[in-house]
């Protein structure tokens, strides 16, 4: 008689998952680097289940409600507070959009 298995086949055990994900690298999605306006930007896809707050997209100046998948981008050598949350379509069209957004006086910048 063979010994009983307490873990599923094909899935890593809890200790292995903790060691592999200790830095949080796969928790928020894969990070890639893109070049935009002569700078390197770190870009991450955020799933709908990972988006729990409201953000303002700098591309269209509209809110990104909780639960909507979007993109987080920041300069590679920038500070944490330089992160911006974009709609995926706005991030893909960032070179085709004008930089002249019409905001009201009381609207937040981002």
């Amino acid at each position: 008689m063979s010994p009983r298995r307490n873990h599923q086949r094909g899935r890593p055990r809890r200790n292995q998952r903790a060691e592999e994900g200790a830095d949080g690298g796969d928790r928020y999605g894969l990070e890639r680097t893109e070049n935009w306006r002569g700078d390197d930007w770190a870009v991450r896809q955020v799933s709908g289940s990972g988006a729990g707050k409201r953000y303002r997209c700098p591309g269209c100046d509209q809110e990104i409600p909780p639960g909507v998948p979007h993109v987080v981008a920041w300069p590679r050598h920038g500070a944490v507070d330089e992160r911006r949350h974009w709609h995926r379509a706005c991030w893909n069209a960032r070179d085709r959009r004008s930089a002249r957004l019409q905001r009201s006086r009381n609207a937040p910048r981002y």
Side-chain angles (χ1 to χ4, degrees):
M1 181 153 82
S2 63
R4 180 177 173 186
R5 295 181 190 267
N6 288 329
H7 64 276
Q8 295 177 355
R9 292 184 187 195
R11 286 184 56 192
R13 283 180 253 137
R14 184 172 28 193
N15 294 341
Q16 288 176 342
R17 282 185 289 187
E19 291 170 6
E20 292 169 358
D23 61 348
D26 59 346
R27 182 175 177 190
Y28 299 108
L30 295 176
E31 186 176 307
R32 65 183 187 275
T33 302
E34 292 187 19
N35 191 349
W36 183 46
R37 293 184 179 169
D39 293 327
D40 287 335
W41 288 70
V43 179
R44 249 186 217 164
Q45 301 284 334
V46 177
S47 66
S49 62
K53 292 174 34 180
R54 291 188 181 272
Y55 299 101
R56 184 162 299 273
C57 176
C60 65
D61 199 36
Q62 300 293 315
E63 281 192 355
I64 302 172
V68 173
H70 61 277
V71 174
V72 179
W74 65 96
R76 174 58 73 186
H77 301 291
V80 174
D81 57 342
E82 294 182 29
R83 288 184 299 194
R84 297 292 174 253
H85 295 254
W86 297 67
H87 291 107
R88 287 182 182 172
C90 294
W91 177 254
N92 292 335
R94 65 192 179 277
D95 292 328
R96 296 187 301 267
R97 294 184 182 250
S98 67
R100 295 178 286 148
L101 294 174
Q102 299 293 321
R103 294 185 180 91
S104 68
R105 292 182 181 184
N106 297 332
R109 180 130 194 235
Y110 292 107

